[in-house]
Amino acid sequence: VRMCIRDRIITENPASNIRRPRREIVRPTKAISKEQVDELLKSVDLLSSSGPLHLSLLATLWLTGLRKSEILNLKRKDYYKENGNVVIQYMGKGGKFRRKLVHPRLEEILDDYLLWMKNKGRSHDNEDWLFQPNKNPKDPTLLDRPLNPRTLNRIVEKYSKKIGVNFNVSPHSARATFIS
């Protein structure tokens, strides 16, 4: 085609508007079993300095199927009661607001987490991030900010290794588990 264009046999590539088919990439789903999810949630030490935060993050990942970015961008106002149901409202893919009913076990875990935050003297107003870091080595006073995405990856990795999962588990594995 380039030679024909160069030699002025044709003026443009006739196939330039044709899309190539996507190559299908087949990988095994990195989902874990229901028993492993239960074991994962039970493996969190609630007496540790970050235990309630870790448990609430893990439970939100595995009991909602939300994406990592959707969880990290939740504000306190996004977790509320509506018509007797507890709901999480989140900004989904494509910039659309979506809502999800909260499993009773997740409601219990999130309520305990919010009480833990309150007992630590941490502000949790409607515009504050729902999941905030427990510490900040650069500026210990600056804790009202969203968690770093790598922090969530490390938390998932830590607890999956703790329960003996022998493959790489990521926050996206929670989506695969939730869907399956």
Side-chain angles (χ1 to χ4, degrees), residues 91-127:
M91 176 78 73
K93 210 171 182 181
K96 295 180 184 175
F97 278 102
R98 295 187 169 97
R99 292 184 301 182
K100 217 172 243 264
L101 285 175
V102 173
H103 187 278
R105 176 71 178 124
L106 178 58
E107 177 185 359
E108 179 185 320
I109 290 169
L110 288 175
D111 288 345
D112 288 347
Y113 164 69
L114 292 172
L115 181 62
W116 175 75
M117 289 287 284
K118 184 178 179 181
N119 289 341
K120 289 182 71 168
R122 298 281 298 278
S123 163
H124 231 142
D125 298 325
N126 276 341
E127 290 302 318

Side-chain angles (χ1 to χ4, degrees), residues 57-58 61 68 71-72 147-157 171:
L57 282 165
L58 293 170
L61 272 169
K68 177 170 59 171
I71 289 175
L72 296 179
L147 280 175
N148 185 318
R150 286 176 293 188
T151 301
L152 186 53
N153 290 349
R154 277 184 281 207
I155 291 168
V156 169
E157 186 179 313

Side-chain angles (χ1 to χ4, degrees), residues 48-61:
S48 71
S49 64
S50 299
L53 170 64
H54 291 184
L55 179 61
S56 62
L57 282 165
L58 293 170
T60 304
L61 272 169

